Amino acid sequence: MSKYGIVGDGRVARHVAHYFDLSGLPYATWSRREERATSSPADTSLASCDVVLVLISDAAIEQFIEAHESLRDRTLIHFSGSLVTALARGMHPLSTFAIDLYDLDTYQAIPFVCDEGDPSFIDVFPELPNSHYTIASELKPLYHSMAVLAGNFTTALWNKLFDTFEERLQLPKEVATPYLRQIASNLEHAPTTAQTGPLARRDRQTIRANLDALGTDPYRDVYAAFVRAVAPELLEGSS
């Protein structure tokens, strides 16, 4: 008998299954792809599960739960950082999940930010040592917007740097690795003083030169937007 059931076969579902494997926790799985291959509906595959983790796209979560009434008497959990629904409790792992799977220490270090109310993280995952916190439902959109700004958008910026280094500057992208690591270290250990460069120096001339160098690149607007958000006075007189 499996206490946990995992719905989905995407990246998050694969990471959770791997975490459970490393932790020695039995689980059952179900996905649309698996159903097509085995002709086993969700109700059958997850029949023995007390807790069902609905790890599919945000837009599909409520639809899936409403379509499977037999699961409504289970503890239903979703991992969305933004969705609030009365049909399932939200427990968001504050991490990013790459294609490659992680080791046990990495999974155990991931904090979970949970919806207020019952069941608690301890109630659902008594075997897992992850730190966990709760926030009010009305604050989830703000919480998630911050996670996207800091995580998803910085990833886009770093990929832009890697591509530009390799394609236009003929520099190997690895040359930026020490820079990336030092930024992360500074943010971790001294976040209030981690900002450097023309923004920290209030160097209007360099900022203008940077904007000119970007020309018609769409990231020129991104650069200007960051300056406008942090120090709008440095854009005065810039076009």
Side-chain angles (χ1 to χ4, degrees):
M1 182 173 182
S2 303
K3 175 183 177 180
Y4 297 106
I6 298 174
V7 173
D9 57 6
R11 194 176 291 185
V12 174
R14 292 195 298 273
H15 275 274
V16 171
H18 187 54
Y19 185 16
F20 284 0
D21 285 335
L22 295 174
S23 302
L25 300 180
Y27 61 90
T29 62
W30 181 88
S31 69
R32 297 287 184 192
R33 185 181 306 171
E34 185 174 318
E35 182 181 43
R36 288 193 294 269
T38 65
S39 300
S40 179
D43 310 73
T44 300
S45 297
L46 304 173
S48 65
C49 303
D50 299 319
V51 176
V52 176
L53 311 180
V54 186
L55 307 183
I56 56 181
S57 65
D58 290 14
I61 290 173
E62 291 183 313
Q63 182 180 6
F64 171 83
I65 295 172
E66 289 170 347
H68 296 85
E69 290 190 10
S70 65
L71 301 179
R72 297 287 291 276
D73 61 346
R74 320 296 169 82
T75 298
L76 298 178
I77 304 296
H78 69 79
F79 279 13
S80 168
S82 59
L83 177 68
V84 176
T85 174
L87 300 179
R89 180 72 62 201
M91 296 184 176
H92 181 245
L94 184 54
S95 183
T96 181
F97 296 100
I99 293 176
D100 294 336
L101 301 174
Y102 304 155
D103 61 24
L104 182 60
D105 288 344
T106 299
Y107 289 122
Q108 291 180 336
I110 296 173
F112 280 75
V113 178
C114 308
D115 294 352
E116 286 184 326
D118 295 322
S120 69
F121 184 87
I122 290 293
D123 293 333
V124 176
F125 301 112
E127 309 93 342
L128 301 182
N130 300 73
S131 61
H132 46 276
Y133 308 84
T134 60
I135 59 173
S137 296
E138 61 269 20
L139 295 178
K140 282 194 75 174
L142 176 61
Y143 157 77
H144 194 249
S145 70
M146 292 297 101
V148 171
L149 274 171
N152 295 182
F153 292 169
T154 56
T155 299
L157 291 174
W158 277 102
N159 279 321
K160 172 67 172 176
L161 179 146
F162 295 148
D163 291 344
T164 302
F165 272 26
E166 291 192 323
E167 295 172 8
R168 297 188 61 188
L169 304 176
Q170 285 74 58
L171 292 171
K173 65 181 181 181
E174 291 79 14
V175 75
T177 299
Y179 180 41
L180 172 58
R181 289 175 176 164
Q182 194 59 55
I183 289 172
S185 178
N186 291 350
L187 282 168
E188 180 179 5
H189 300 293
T192 59
T193 58
Q195 183 67 262
T196 62
L199 275 177
R201 298 192 306 268
R202 294 300 191 258
D203 185 345
R204 184 181 283 107
Q205 181 175 343
T206 297
I207 288 172
R208 287 177 177 171
N210 290 167
L211 291 170
D212 289 344
L214 287 167
T216 60
D217 191 311
Y219 275 79
R220 183 189 190 281
D221 293 337
V222 175
Y223 188 120
F226 274 110
V227 178
R228 191 171 294 111
V230 176
E233 72 278 4
L234 297 179
L235 287 179
E236 292 175 3
S238 298
S239 58

